[in-house]
Every structure is written in C-alpha cells, then in structure tokens.
C-alpha cells in the first residue's frame, strides 16, 4: 500500500474511535439528571455537533475542499 492510503486509513480509524468515544459520552450523559432542561439539551446538541463535524469533515471529504 502506498503511504497516502496508509495515512487516510489512519485518519479514518482515529475518527471511528472518536465517534465511538462520543457515542459512549452521549449514553453516559443521558443518565445524568441536569438541574435545567436547557442545559441538558445544550450538552446533547454540543456532542451531536462534534460528531456531525467529524463525519462531514472526514467521511464526506469537506476538510479538503
């Protein structure tokens, strides 16, 4: 395999691991009772935005455009 392909495989693997981690964080946060609904909603949307950015930037190749 060429070095370019190995580089991309490494990036995809790291993004996959990050997505698994943030999925675990999402599940963990869902068990926490927050004092206000707005704060819990903010945390959930923040995690979703991070995961959405990772998918869009790497798997849809928007970071190279």
């Amino acid at each position: 395999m060429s070095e370019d392909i190995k580089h991309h495989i490494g990036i995809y693997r790291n993004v996959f691991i990050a997505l698994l981690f943030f999925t675990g964080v999402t599940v963990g946060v869902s068990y926490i009772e927050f004092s206000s609904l707005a704060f819990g909603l903010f945390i959930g949307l923040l995690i979703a935005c991070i995961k959405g950015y990772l998918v869009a930037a790497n798997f849809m190749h928007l970071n190279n455009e």
Side-chain angles (χ1 to χ4, degrees):
M1 267 194 276
S2 72
E3 288 297 319
D4 189 43
I5 293 174
K6 287 181 183 180
H7 175 71
H8 285 289
I9 289 173
I11 291 173
Y12 290 150
R13 184 184 59 240
N14 291 340
V15 169
F16 177 70
I17 292 169
L19 289 172
L20 284 177
F21 171 76
F22 281 115
T23 299
V25 170
T26 302
V27 171
V29 167
S30 71
Y31 289 108
I32 298 173
E33 288 191 33
F34 293 102
S35 58
S36 69
L37 179 64
F39 185 67
L41 184 65
F42 173 75
I43 296 297
L45 286 174
L46 179 67
I47 296 169
C49 287
I50 292 170
K51 287 167 56 175
Y53 167 76
L54 287 171
V55 169
N58 293 291
F59 295 123
M60 298 174 76
H61 307 285
L62 295 179
N63 59 347
N64 295 339
E65 295 295 322

